[in-house]
Every structure is written in C-alpha cells, then in structure tokens.
Amino acid sequence: MFKVLVSDPISDLGIQQLMDAADVVVDKKPGLSEDELVAIIGEYDALLVRSQTRVTARVLEAGTSLKVVGRAGVGVDNIDLPAATSKGVIVINAPDGNTITTCEHTFAMMMAVARHIPQAYAKTVGGEWDRKSFVGVELRGKTLGVVGMGRIGSEVAKRAKAFGMDILGYDPFLTEEKAEKLGIKLASVEDIVRGADFMTVHTPLTPETRHMIGAEQFKIMKRGMRIVNCARGGIVDEYAMVDAINEGIVAGAAFDVFEVEPPVADHPFLTHPKIIVTPHLGASTIEAQENVAIDVSEQVLHILRNEPFLNAVNMPPVAAAVMTKLQPYFELGEKLGSLIAQITEGPVGEITVGYSGDLAEVDTQPLTRYIVKGILGHHLGSDQVNIINSLHLAKERGVNVVVNKSHTAKDFTNLVTVSLNGRSESTHVAGTLLTGYGPRIVQINNYTVDVAPSGHLVLISHNDRPGIIGRIGTLLGSNDVNIATMQVGRQAEGGAAIMVLTVDKGVPKPVLAQMTQLEELKTAKEVTLY
C-alpha cells in the first residue's frame, strides 16, 4: 500500500484518481510547518504540493520512503531539486494543464483590445453613454502573427482560424511542413512585425527573447498593430511599446504579464487609455487548477507503480560506473548544445550526436539528454527544459535525435560531435576534455579551433587577409569591449576562415552590425555560454 501526502489545498476532483486507487492511501494535511512536515514525511511514498509547501533538503532527508514529489503546476521553485536528485526522489510537474485556459485568456484579451471593452465598460458604468469613442475592428479578414507556436500558440492559431483570420506563425521549431499541416503560413518575426494586424506572443522568456519586440521592431511595424502578451513579461519592451502607441504605430495592447510583478504604481500601462491589463490571470480558471492536479496525480500513480511516466524535472539515479564516466562531459555536452543552437539559422529539424573513442563503450543517453537540453533550452528557456524532459520535448516538437558511435576518435581520446539541420545547411560543432584544461570546443563546422566554452564569444566568418584582426580589435576597443582570447581557424592560406573571440562583456548589437561592414568580413555573431 502506497501513502500519499497532500500538503497544500488541492480539490478532491484533482486528486480523485489517487483517492480511488485501491493501492493508495491519501492524507490531506495542508498548512504544515517545516518541522511538522519533517516529523511525518518518513511515512509517505509521495508528496503532492502546490506553491505553499517548501520542499527543502531537510524535508527530503527525512523522507526515507519518498519516491516522488508532485507539483500541481508548472514552477518548481519551492522544491530543492539538487537535494531531491541526490536522494533519488523524482520531481514532476504539470506543464500542459494551463494550455487551454491561457489560450482562451489570450483570445479574450484580443477581443477586448479590438472592441475597447474595458474602456467602454468603465465609461458606461460611470454614467456616460458614449458610442462614438469606441469604434472597434473585426477579427475576420485580419492577419494574426503568432510568435511562438508551441502548445498555447498552436491553440490560439486554431481559434483564430475559426474567426476567419489569416495566421502568420513563427517558432524556432516550426518547419514549412508543420505550418502547412496547421493551415498557417511560416513567417519570421520581421514578417509578422511588418505584415500582421494583430500579434500575440507565446515564447518563454530567455536572453534570446527578452525585448524581441522592441524599439527596432516598432520602427518597421505595420501601423495599427494590436499586441497581446499573455506569456511572459519582458518579451515586449514595455516602455518602447508605450512610445509606439503614443506615436500612432500601435493601435492598442492587452497585457496579462509585466516585466516586474506586481508593476510599480506609476507604471504607464496602468493609466494609458489604449492599454488593457490583467493581473497574470492566464492560468486562473477552476478547470486549469483541477487539470494540473489531475495531470500530476496520474504521473504520481505511474511512478509509484513503476510504470512509464512523463514530466520529471530532475535526473533519476544513474548507475555509478556510467555516471563516473559521463559526468565530466555533462557541462561540455550542454555547452555544445547551446552553442550550436545559437549559431544555427532556421528551425531545428534533426539533431545528430556523435560519440567517438571510449565514450562509445557506455550508455551515453544521459549525456545526450544534456546536449538536447542545451539546444532546446536556448529556444524554450532553461527553466522549461531539463535532462529528464529534453528528449520528450524534442519528440513532441517533431525533432528527430540521432546518435552515432565510433570506437575511434581521430586526435582525441574522446570526441563529442553535434550537428543540426537548419534552414539551408547543417551546422557542426565538436568538443572534448583536455587534461589540465577541461571542456574545449575543438571544431566549428569545418574549422579547427581550441576554445573554452564559457562566457561571451564572438564568432566571425571572414576572408583570411592581412589586417583584418587589427581592424576588429580596433573596433571593439573603441567601444570599450576587451578581447580576452582569440582563435583563428582556416583551411587554406588566404581563403575562408573563422575567428572566435572571447570578450569580457557582451558586444552591443550596433557594434556587431558595424563589424559586418568591415572589409573582408562576412558575418559576426555573439554567443553566450554560462
């Protein structure tokens, strides 16, 4: 008989399958202090929480029978993941339960901004009958740009089609074939900015997506655009958008999220007549709260019964011998994944991982998970992808992961190679561990290099001509960017080459743009590896 402790308020409907299970006893004890939880947790096989209970290292240490901690929601900030992993306790969440409710809130906000519903309501209940000030627009026949075609974005697109809208969709994992199946048109962010009448964003907040809709995008934006953000604060530059509304570029906006929540009292969104706001209500429905509890309860049952399960957010125990062999490569693998994701153009269709040398002798799936985590984490956010769910998320997005092994590794004891199929060609990187130096990037495409995968890197493609190194150094120096290391890879003297710079801080985008104007220089791209 399994014992499950529910230590936060969760509806009976959400945990009904646990209560109905013949082999499970459920105890509901919300509001326990840490001391109280520590005193009883040793009796239980599973712990089910929301956001109130703090599952600390002390709680996990006391949970001598604990097999799983289930979080009825997405975030797991209240659970000590490293401690859970070290104790062999699986932590799961419910990432899908909020999909429909967030989608519907997005559509409610889109309708509200199209028809000025909150503004008209306020004026009407204030005693003023004003029909002339609130002439809206129809959705039918308009073009909707969906930035982020994951679960929520795809559901929004389905509903928008039912309203007679044309859909432009952008996502780093969206291919022409997938777009055709969804009945939408594959587009870039710039295509959406220039051509859409409405825009809704559904990406995670990452360094790549922060302010992805900012001053530069507003400069080229189609006039009359209406913007909805029910995803994450910070994807749209809030103050740049206010300026765009005041300049007549953006006709209106509806935001459920802010960069800082709650917003400061004088935030311009709170008083602007053309901006609608709600207090992060995307997941706030009875059904969503029940759905996340139902989802996590189902996975808890699978784990207790030793059945296949989904949505784990930490690493299960790995055989000691395999861990000893692979652990030094985990950082390298994730960094290679992040590197190749940042330098590959276009949607990710297939990931090919190669292991050469001694690594071919062991089960490398844990290392593959780190590599895929690095790739997907760049696009989806590191808080959304982990070494347990990375392969599942890749499959969910139609990304094929291929692993090849060879017992021989030319020039190295072990070599890890990663290839991505991008928009027009494949990108390749390779790395190894060098005694005394640690992880090293040793190949980028067909060029040999020797670079530590850390910090801010600038990758430059150029023609191998005298003076180009000096011109690049002068440009960076004049913009207060210090070069720490430099590597040049070339195949033949005077031919095509790459330069990899390690710099002390990020290079501003305008400086990168200036760099591409230098004679003999083709491209310049910054890569950040942490």
Side-chain angles (χ1 to χ4, degrees):
M1 186 68 68
F2 300 111
K3 293 190 69 176
V4 177
L5 174 63
V6 180
S7 62
D8 284 334
I10 297 176
S11 71
D12 286 348
L13 180 60
I15 58 174
Q16 192 65 49
Q17 57 190 316
L18 285 173
M19 294 191 295
D20 289 346
D23 54 348
V24 175
V25 173
V26 177
D27 290 337
K28 296 191 294 181
K29 298 181 179 181
L32 295 174
S33 68
E34 183 181 27
D35 287 342
E36 291 170 331
L37 185 56
V38 166
I40 65 172
I41 193 62
E43 307 172 22
Y44 293 94
D45 301 282
L47 173 63
L48 193 57
V49 303
R50 291 185 66 83
S51 58
Q52 295 95 319
T53 298
R54 307 295 300 179
V55 187
T56 63
R58 183 167 167 246
V59 171
L60 291 160
E61 184 69 30
T64 52
S65 299
L66 205 58
K67 300 176 181 65
V68 56
V69 175
R71 162 70 164 94
V74 178
V76 290
D77 294 344
N78 56 318
I79 302 170
D80 189 327
L81 293 182
T85 299
S86 68
K87 297 296 294 182
V89 177
I90 300 169
V91 179
I92 59 172
N93 66 349
D96 299 330
N98 298 336
T99 298
I100 299 302
T101 188
T102 304
C103 163
E104 290 185 354
H105 193 68
T106 298
F107 233 89
M109 296 289 266
M110 194 185 310
M111 294 293 292
V113 75
R115 302 302 297 268
H116 312 292
I117 292 172
Q119 298 93 327
Y121 167 81
K123 216 167 192 183
T124 303
V125 299
E128 189 172 351
W129 188 259
D130 180 5
R131 300 179 64 192
K132 295 181 180 179
S133 298
F134 302 113
V135 177
V137 296
E138 293 183 357
L139 300 188
R140 181 175 61 91
K142 302 299 190 300
T143 297
L144 171 65
V146 183
V147 180
M149 288 294 297
R151 293 183 298 268
I152 297 171
S154 296
E155 291 294 336
V156 170
K158 290 178 187 177
R159 286 154 179 76
K161 286 179 62 182
F163 272 73
M165 302 185 83
D166 298 317
I167 316 298
L168 299 177
Y170 164 78
D171 192 278
F173 303 100
L174 185 65
T175 63
E176 289 279 5
E177 294 76 17
K178 292 180 190 175
E180 187 175 344
K181 287 181 181 178
L182 289 169
I184 68 173
K185 183 178 179 181
L186 178 63
S188 66
V189 174
E190 183 175 335
D191 293 334
I192 290 172
V193 168
R194 289 184 181 276
D197 302 296
F198 288 78
M199 181 197 315
T200 177
V201 295
H202 298 285
T203 72
L205 182 64
T206 68
E208 193 80 4
T209 63
R210 180 176 291 278
H211 291 182
M212 69 185 301
I213 308 300
E216 293 302 311
Q217 287 69 38
F218 289 118
K219 287 178 183 177
I220 62 173
M221 186 171 285
K222 181 178 180 179
R223 295 186 74 86
M225 173 78 81
R226 290 169 172 84
I227 300 175
V228 177
N229 184 5
C230 293
R232 291 289 185 272
I235 297 171
V236 179
D237 185 331
E238 295 172 351
Y239 290 90
M241 193 188 72
V242 171
D243 290 341
I245 293 177
N246 292 337
E247 293 169 15
I249 299 169
V250 175
F255 274 53
D256 185 45
V257 290
F258 292 80
E259 290 198 45
V260 177
E261 295 182 356
V264 295
D266 61 349
H267 194 292
F269 278 23
L270 303 181
T271 55
H272 202 290
K274 294 186 177 180
I275 300 178
I276 298 165
V277 293
T278 51
H280 208 145
L281 299 179
S284 297
T285 62
I286 295 171
E287 293 86 351
Q289 301 303 317
E290 291 177 347
N291 286 340
V292 293
I294 290 169
D295 288 351
V296 79
S297 296
E298 180 179 5
Q299 299 309 315
V300 165
L301 265 182
H302 286 318
I303 291 169
L304 293 178
R305 293 169 176 171
N306 200 27
E307 299 170 348
F309 59 90
L310 300 175
N311 303 327
V313 295
N314 67 336
M315 184 178 178
V318 178
V322 175
M323 179 63 78
T324 300
K325 184 75 174 180
L326 295 180
Q327 192 166 23
Y329 289 88
F330 288 161
E331 178 187 357
L332 171 67
E334 187 168 350
K335 295 289 184 66
L336 287 175
S338 179
L339 168 65
I340 199 168
Q342 293 181 62
I343 65 175
T344 301
E345 297 292 336
V348 178
E350 183 171 87
I351 302 168
T352 303
V353 180
Y355 298 110
S356 303
D358 294 343
L359 287 175
E361 304 287 346
V362 298
D363 179 4
T364 52
Q365 188 180 89
L367 179 51
T368 301
R369 290 177 180 273
Y370 273 94
I371 294 169
V372 177
K373 175 181 183 289
I375 295 170
L376 299 190
H378 171 68
H379 297 295
L380 303 179
S382 58
D383 60 333
Q384 301 297 314
V385 187
N386 56 71
I387 54 177
I388 294 298
N389 67 11
S390 60
L391 295 179
H392 172 72
L393 291 176
K395 182 178 180 181
E396 184 179 72
R397 284 158 176 76
V399 177
N400 192 32
V401 180
V402 178
V403 176
N404 299 318
K405 293 187 177 184
S406 172
H407 292 284
T408 58
K410 185 179 179 181
D411 300 326
F412 300 100
T413 303
N414 289 293
L415 190 68
V416 181
T417 61
V418 186
S419 301
L420 284 188
N421 291 327
R423 179 175 297 140
S424 58
E425 59 184 2
S426 294
T427 308
H428 313 274
V429 298
T432 190
L433 296 183
L434 295 181
T435 303
Y437 295 94
R440 309 295 288 187
I441 302 165
V442 296
Q443 186 178 15
I444 298 177
N445 289 326
N446 296 318
Y447 300 100
T448 300
V449 295
D450 180 9
V451 180
S454 179
H456 298 281
L457 307 179
V458 181
L459 272 62
I460 299 165
S461 63
H462 61 98
N463 293 319
D464 184 27
R465 298 286 191 273
I468 192 166
I469 293 175
R471 290 194 290 273
I472 291 171
T474 299
L475 175 60
L476 291 176
S478 65
N479 286 277
D480 196 33
V481 178
N482 187 52
I483 299 174
T485 67
M486 181 190 70
Q487 276 277 315
V488 176
R490 64 182 187 181
Q491 295 175 319
E493 182 179 345
I498 66 166
M499 187 185 306
V500 185
L501 305 177
T502 302
V503 293
D504 291 345
K505 64 180 182 179
V507 180
K509 289 183 179 179
V511 177
L512 289 173
Q514 290 179 50
M515 202 177 291
T516 60
Q517 303 303 312
L518 295 176
E519 186 179 355
E520 305 292 353
L521 196 147
K522 300 174 184 177
T523 63
K525 185 173 184 63
E526 182 177 18
V527 173
T528 304
L529 299 175
Y530 288 117

